[in-house]
Amino acid sequence: MKRRRIVPSATASPVVESVYYTRVSSKEQEEEGFSLADQMRNARDYADKHGLQVLKEFVEVESARKPGRTQFDQMCAFIKQRKVPTIVICEKTDRLYRNLPDWVKMEALMKEHGVILHLYKEGVVLSKDSRSNETFIHGIQVLMAKRYVDNLAEEVTKGMTEKARQGYYPGAAPPGYLNNPATRRFDVDEERAPVVRQLFDLYATGNYSLADLRTVAEREGLTSNRRNVQPLGTSSIDRMLDNPVYVGRFIWKGVEYEGKHVPLITPELFMKVQAIKHGRKGGEYQGRTFAFTGLLTCGYCGCAITAEIKKGKYVYYHCTGGRGKCQGQGAALREEDIDRQLADVVSGLKMDDRVFATLRKGLKAAHEDEREYHARALANLNGQLTKVSNRIRQIYIDKLDGQIDTATYDEFKTKFEAEREVLRSQIAAHEKADKDYLEYGARLLELAQTAYLSYYRRSPHEKRRLLNFVLSNCVLMSKRLIPEYRKPFDLIASAARDSRKGGSLDPDGPGFPSRRVPPRGFEPLLPP
């Protein structure tokens, strides 16, 4: 394969001033010399080789799974204060971020402050003028990096799911309850529970709107928790009235469980509230659900779009008017029209075969990058496991030699064995995450390609699940839906739209991962 030197695109600004960002995930990795020194040395070499003046170095010892990293945020603030565009030098995508908010933040810096991102190990230069194939592949790499660490977190979720099966809600206590740190369950909040009951009682009369309940909650000082000083908003009260936790049940990961906590209201009161909220008559469930409530917001005022039945059989959607009279309240739209427009939204993800093949190729390249992270993480964990196992053997020898007594031996043995079990579970989690990584990405593209064909075959419940997965929001304005796709479906929709307009994603064009060349001094980790 012909090697290619990394250079900024012809459309990029002639910037020579730069910063560089290096990161390891934990203090343990820093102490083990996991990769921080190598990143710093190679970033400096890269800057020297390309004649880039380094203004500042940002060195992070923190996981990138969640936004809010100290050095990353300081780097972004530093860039915003400058009057001229800045180059950001980083080893590769997963060193820079493994979460979507930080990716969005960097995209904004590119568009608004002219930042040019150099990912020297991936051989890619990104700016606001980058070609669509470079932008898409970078997005896929961010998503896959996020997926990898999310899979690790899922191992922790298993214990929470087991707690839910036993009847104990694993999350934070809702208003009216208190978390009990001793039992790791929640108890009735004797001070605030009466206010919650009052809100249900008032709404059940049919004479109080959500805005009225918000006024009552504010007057009574009801907040989402005891540490929060902000009163409950209308949307929070709306969710509270739909929450079955107050009648002794709860929903966790889409499954409803019978809880072992004390209910605050009766099932009859809860059903009456649901009847009024969702247009049912007589206080009884009629077996009718609205397919698209909760998915749409009003383009005029930002309130939720609700649904109601007219003439006993026609379902119309309109603005709730939670913030006062709104133009969207008078612009009701039939459910059939909503359904057709949502089908068109899903169809916006359909790509031609050539573009689909190109994106699959990019996905495989992104997977190869992640395999390196996986191999290095496993090497580090196995090193720690070996060290702990050696310590267990050593204290046994010390006990035999009479250097430590039995009590000391038992204390250290219990401690080291607990550490060993944690490391073993982390190793198993990494193995599972690596196995699921490429499969998840492939399913993602397959879903985008087949979503339109399967949409009409789905039940209303299945359509809702699909739309929740693909869309972050959908705005209804002047009887027209304006979609906001979740990442990376926004990139997929953009690529599909470009292909329909005659654009292209060139798999052999500049910046495509198959042509990446690591800088001098790097030996890429080859797959086994």
Side-chain angles (χ1 to χ4, degrees), residues 261-280:
H261 58 279
V262 177
L264 294 189
I265 62 173
T266 65
E268 291 76 20
L269 176 58
F270 185 74
M271 290 176 66
K272 189 172 183 180
V273 167
Q274 300 311 298
I276 294 173
K277 277 185 92 261
H278 301 295
R280 304 182 184 104

Side-chain angles (χ1 to χ4, degrees), residues 160 163 168-181 183-190 192-193 196 222-228 232 240 243 245-246 250 252 261-262 264:
M160 301 176 77
K163 183 179 179 181
Y168 304 110
Y169 185 69
Y177 291 97
L178 287 173
N179 285 102
N180 187 326
T183 63
R184 300 182 67 184
R185 302 168 188 170
F186 56 74
D187 303 326
V188 174
D189 184 344
E190 299 298 342
R192 288 144 47 94
V196 173
L222 183 63
T223 58
S224 58
N225 57 62
R226 284 181 173 265
R227 293 191 301 270
N228 194 347
L232 287 179
M240 187 178 74
N243 195 342
V245 73
Y246 296 108
F250 63 88
W252 175 254
H261 58 279
V262 177
L264 294 189

